[in-house]
């Protein structure tokens, strides 16, 4: 069984594994050679991302809404099958390492894998 690690793209240390950016927007100042793949189709919708606006008090509701989006997103299910058994690092650009979509995505993936 593979492992799923989430990591802020701007951190200095980078573990080994398949490096996947899961943000809808490309992070500023990041070279494409730092990432193996970009799966923006599994990121929260623009509407949900803008509504959340990284406000910690909205995180619980954001998590519920993002779970609903993921459950209804056929590409997210294909992505889950694709990473099954692989060691992956899900990269995100948000400054807040406790309230971001990568945390929710990892939890969702662990539930369905």
């Amino acid at each position: 069984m593979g492992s799923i690690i989430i990591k802020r793209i701007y951190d200095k240390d980078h573990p080994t594994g398949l490096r996947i950016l899961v943000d809808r927007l490309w992070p500023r100042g990041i070279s494409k050679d730092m990432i193996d793949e970009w799966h923006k189709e599994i990121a929260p919708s623009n509407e949900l991302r803008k509504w959340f606006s990284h406000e910690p008090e909205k995180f619980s509701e954001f998590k519920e809404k993002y779970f609903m989006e993921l459950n209804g997103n056929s590409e997210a299910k294909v992505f889950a099958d694709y990473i099954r058994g692989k060691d992956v690092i899900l990269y995100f650009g948000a400054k807040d390492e406790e309230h971001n979509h990568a945390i929710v995505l990892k939890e969702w993936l662990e539930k369905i894998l």
Side-chain angles (χ1 to χ4, degrees), residues 27-84:
R28 291 182 186 194
I30 297 300
S31 169
K32 294 199 188 255
D33 64 345
M34 287 188 64
I35 297 296
D36 297 316
E37 298 178 13
W38 182 19
H39 288 270
K40 60 185 172 184
E41 70 279 358
I42 60 173
S45 65
N46 283 328
E47 296 79 16
L48 182 57
R49 181 178 56 83
K50 289 176 183 177
W51 171 84
F52 175 46
S53 191
H54 295 283
E55 296 176 31
E57 62 275 5
K58 291 181 177 179
F59 188 68
S60 180
E61 188 176 353
F62 168 77
K63 180 178 171 179
E64 290 177 29
K65 291 179 177 192
Y66 186 33
F67 267 20
M68 288 176 30
E69 284 190 357
L70 288 166
N71 286 329
N73 183 342
S74 61
E75 292 181 38
K77 293 172 185 161
V78 169
F79 176 77
D81 287 338
Y82 170 67
I83 67 163
R84 187 180 311 275

Side-chain angles (χ1 to χ4, degrees), residues 9 11 14 16 18 20 23 37 56 66 73 88 91 94-95 98 100:
I9 191 73
D11 287 348
H14 296 280
T16 59
L18 182 60
I20 302 172
D23 284 357
E37 298 178 13
Y66 186 33
N73 183 342
V88 297
Y91 282 103
K95 290 179 184 175
E98 295 178 23
N100 63 67

